[in-house]
């Protein structure tokens, strides 16, 4: 029998795992020639090409990763990877990677770097941190972070004495949704979201672009639902990939989504299409909601949304008649305008009225499994001497903090100065609004440290650059996966770190040593910590290493039954359609419609999104993925293009309301977008000259986002409030 890859995988699986310890050889006895040939190793780990964190199996030959596949045991990958997941090899072997610590020798932002040893670079950072602490206090150092590296640097910062950390993922992405669902159901919908798409009869996507947002398991389930003839309703000013699978495309006027949601609720209540038994048993505040939405008729909503009232009624009836097997997708990037939480509250209320929370085809319940918390150390953090700034004055801002609050405090030095920033795992120039504010704030710092894998735009502004190795070269903390059943996923190195890069945990630990914080890092290697964690949880570490993922099938209880009743962690213990918590803080307890400014004649609302082959700005230089999409294009409605004498692939420049100009960008002339909008894929036109493929390719939507609105409830940042005009002078 010839040893094919398929047969080898069968053999490996039969012997208890896919990971092979050590390298074996096969000689000419097996007919493969005289020269020994290394057998490939198949090593499971967890991807970090995006936040989905799919299970991956790396094929390694002679110490080199030659292929990545989805781990069939992991529910986020289900044996498959998206293009970005396969692009992990491109990240690993990108010649533009950061290879050694760097110290800037010029003015901040000049990027005149000298190579440094780790001892020199970490000593420089520790010395600066201590001086800032002595002069201003430990709280004057802040962390802007994203991804798994956050665990280690949040730990370091709090051990140092500062509570000031913030994540773009809250303020700019999931924060408003999390707050809205917590206020309504007592918990968020998870990350990834607990969506029972494969059993949905109706899938409603409001500004959620499955197929372009390549959320692996959701895209697979969406395809299954479509294959079962589920009705898809897409609400979007642009005819997205998902809209191509929809029975109903509602090209809504931007900034009016809440009007549509409230009118749907109006129809569903008035026509008795809600789940009366469910509402009576599990919710509070129904009468208040019914009264509040009386004014939001389909006829009223038509004037606001540009969607015919008959279509609003038809889609509401489709949604109501298929209850509870209906998924109103809660979305991820939900920070659009100044009423983000109330818009997401309307999504949550509609979900509850349909009886779709905890029911097949809707949002399933969390798996029933609890593990004892295991912390990086048992030593208590010192009590900060000054109040935390990271949540601002927003009463429902999450524990992750709000990024623009850190920027504002740095600029104003109120209520006290912020003089040092760590930026880890996030490209601040592409991840926060109003780049001018960010740049001005940076100039007021006495220390800016960047920890990353690539020389992104934000990294090039740093005083010290500390190169983290890629996810294929390191251990990270264990991932708890809360899909239908509870599970544990491991990230482990499949090859040794290249160049002079180090794991994030090592960088934080070594810096902690130099700051006198050794007691907060009591483990020698991170694998020691993982083994201790597994022992505490009663998990076989060797089994986890071999399989990459361990599931607890007994924890699966996705649906409400007589024996599986939900517990809502709200003050009333019920789903709160009417929120007393919001009322007590001076906000509307039931969502009310807010009018937003529309673009004047000759201007267009700038909307933005994602491509399935890229993760924001983090992959636009990736050798594998760059080949698939080298630059973005500006979507322009065909009637607008004809009026302006523009042809497909002509170059244009976009100019926003504050006079900021984009780099030149090709246009995509299409009928798949409203006439009052221009669309860009986010993350392009890097200003880092060290990113040789991404440098100035396409247009930077973030550069044009100089205005933003803030949601007063959560502090989330609405960035779809910028208008642009087209210039043919390039």
């Amino acid at each position: 029998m010839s040893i094919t890859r398929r047969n080898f995988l069968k053999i490996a699986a039969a012997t208890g795992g896919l990971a092979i310890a050590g390298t074996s050889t096969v000689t000419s006895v097996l007919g493969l020639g005289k020269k020994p040939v290394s057998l490939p190793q198949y090593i499971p780990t967890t991807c970090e090409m995006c936040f989905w964190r799919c299970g991956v199996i790396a094929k390694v030959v002679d110490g080199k990763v030659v292929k990545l596949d989805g781990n069939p045991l992991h529910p986020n990958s289900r044996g498959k990877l998206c293009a970005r997941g396969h692009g992990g090899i491109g990240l690993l072997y990108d010649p533009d990677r950061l290879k050694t610590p760097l110290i800037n020798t010029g003015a901040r932002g000049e990027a005149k770097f000298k190579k440094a040893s780790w001892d020199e670079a970490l000593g420089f950072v520790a010395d600066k941190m201590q001086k800032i602490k002595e002069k201003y206090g430990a709280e004057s150092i802040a962390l802007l972070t994203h991804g798994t590296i956050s665990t280690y640097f949040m730990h370091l910062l709090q051990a140092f004495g500062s509570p000031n950390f913030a994540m773009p993922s809250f303020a700019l992405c999931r924060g408003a949704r999390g707050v809205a669902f917590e206020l309504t159901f007592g918990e968020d919908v998870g990350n990834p979201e607990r969506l029972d798409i494969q059993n949905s009869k109706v899938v409603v996507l409001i500004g959620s672009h499955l197929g372009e947002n390549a959320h692996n398991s959701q895209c697979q389930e969406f395809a299954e639902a479509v294959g079962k003839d589920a009705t898809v309703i897409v609400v979007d000013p642009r005819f997205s990939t998902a809209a191509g699978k929809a029975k109903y495309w509602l090209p809504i006027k931007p900034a009016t989504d809440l009007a549509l949601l409230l009118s749907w609720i109006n129809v569903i209540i008035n026509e008795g299409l809600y789940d009366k038994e469910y509402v009576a048993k599990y919710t509070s505040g129904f009468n208040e909601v019914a009264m509040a939405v009386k004014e939001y008729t389909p006829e009223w909503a038509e004037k606001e949304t540009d969607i015919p009232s008959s279509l609003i009624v038809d889609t509401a009836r489709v949604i109501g008649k298929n209850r509870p097997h209906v998924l109103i997708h809660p979305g991820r990037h939900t920070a659009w305008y100044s009423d983000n939480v109330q818009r997401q509250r309307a999504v949550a209320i509609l979900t509850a009225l349909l009886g779709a929370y905890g029911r097949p085809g809707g949002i399933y319940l969390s798996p029933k499994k609890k593990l004892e918390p295991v912390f990086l150390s048992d030593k208590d953090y010192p009590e900060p001497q000054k109040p935390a700034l990271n949540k601002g004055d927003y009463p429902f801002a999450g524990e992750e903090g709000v990024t623009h609050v850190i920027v504002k405090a740095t600029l104003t030095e109120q209520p006290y100065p912020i003089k040092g920033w760590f930026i880890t795992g996030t490209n601040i120039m592409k991840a926060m609004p109003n780049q001018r504010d960010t740049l001005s704030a940076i100039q007021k710092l006495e220390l800016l440290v960047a920890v990353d894998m690539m020389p992104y735009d934000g990294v090039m502004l740093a005083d010290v650059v500390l190169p983290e190795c890629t996810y294929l070269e390191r251990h990270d903390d264990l991932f708890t996966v809360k899909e239908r059943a509870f599970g544990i996923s491991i990230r482990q190195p499949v090859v040794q770190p290249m160049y002079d890069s180090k794991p994030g945990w090592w960088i934080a630990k070594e810096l902690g040593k130099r700051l006198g914080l050794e007691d907060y890092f009591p483990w020698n290697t991170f694998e020691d910590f993982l083994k201790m964690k597994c022992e505490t949880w009663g998990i076989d570490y060797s089994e986890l290493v071999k399989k990459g993922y361990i599931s607890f099938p007994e924890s699966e209880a996705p649906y409400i039954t007589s024996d599986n009743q939900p517990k809502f962690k709200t003050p009333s213990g019920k789903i709160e359609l009417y929120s007393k918590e919001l009322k007590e803080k001076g906000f509307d307890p039931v969502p009310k419609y807010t009018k937003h400014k529309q673009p004047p004649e000759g201007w267009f609302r700038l909307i933005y999104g994602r491509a399935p082959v890229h993760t924001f700005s983090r992959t636009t230089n990736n050798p594998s993925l760059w080949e698939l999409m080298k630059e973005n294009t500006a979507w322009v409605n065909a009637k607008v293009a004809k009026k302006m004498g523009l042809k497909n692939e002509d170059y244009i420049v976009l100019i926003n309301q504050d006079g900021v100009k984009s780099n030149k960008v090709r246009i995509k002339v299409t009928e798949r977008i409203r006439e009052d909008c221009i669309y860009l894929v986010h993350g392009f036109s890097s200003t880092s000259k060290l990113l040789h493929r991404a440098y100035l390719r396409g247009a930077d939507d973030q550069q044009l986002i100089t205005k933003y609105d803030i949601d007063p409830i959560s502090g989330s940042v609405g960035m779809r409030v910028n208008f642009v005009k087209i210039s043919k002078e390039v």
Side-chain angles (χ1 to χ4, degrees), residues 374-412:
V374 179
F375 303 104
L376 292 176
S377 78
D378 293 329
K379 187 175 174 63
D380 292 335
Y381 296 130
E383 192 69 28
Q385 299 303 299
K386 299 175 184 176
L389 304 181
N390 63 338
K391 296 184 184 179
D393 296 323
Y394 308 107
F396 295 95
E399 293 300 321
E400 304 96 321
V402 184
T403 49
H404 66 85
V405 171
I406 300 294
V407 174
K408 183 179 179 182
T410 306
L411 277 169
T412 63

Side-chain angles (χ1 to χ4, degrees), residues 227-239:
K228 295 176 184 176
D229 293 326
T231 298
V232 178
I233 300 171
V234 172
V235 182
D236 203 308
R238 182 177 62 91
F239 191 85

Side-chain angles (χ1 to χ4, degrees), residues 597-608:
K597 186 178 178 181
Q598 295 296 329
E601 185 70 27
W603 292 77
F604 309 89
R605 186 179 299 276
L606 177 65
I607 58 176
Y608 50 86

Side-chain angles (χ1 to χ4, degrees), residues 206 235 252-266 293 296 300-301 304-305 336-347 349 588 590-596:
I206 303 181
V235 182
I252 194 168
K253 182 193 296 182
T256 67
D257 303 78
L258 183 52
L260 174 64
L261 288 162
L262 292 171
S263 65
W264 272 347
I265 293 172
N266 172 293
V293 299
Y296 302 123
W300 166 85
E304 296 295 322
T305 64
W336 300 350
Y337 309 106
S338 60
D339 54 0
N340 302 316
V341 168
Q342 295 290 21
R343 187 184 72 253
Q344 289 301 115
R345 274 268 294 153
V347 170
I349 290 168
D588 294 325
V590 177
K592 290 183 180 179
Y593 179 63
T594 307
K595 266 186 175 292
H596 298 285

Side-chain angles (χ1 to χ4, degrees), residues 265 268-270 272 274-276 279-280 283-293 349 353 575-578 590:
I265 293 172
I268 284 169
I269 290 177
N270 286 343
Y274 61 96
D275 190 321
K276 299 176 181 63
V279 168
T283 77
S284 65
F286 173 79
N287 291 334
E288 289 87 344
V289 169
M291 287 295 295
V293 299
I349 290 168
L353 291 173
I575 300 169
E576 299 194 346
L577 308 178
Y578 177 99
V590 177

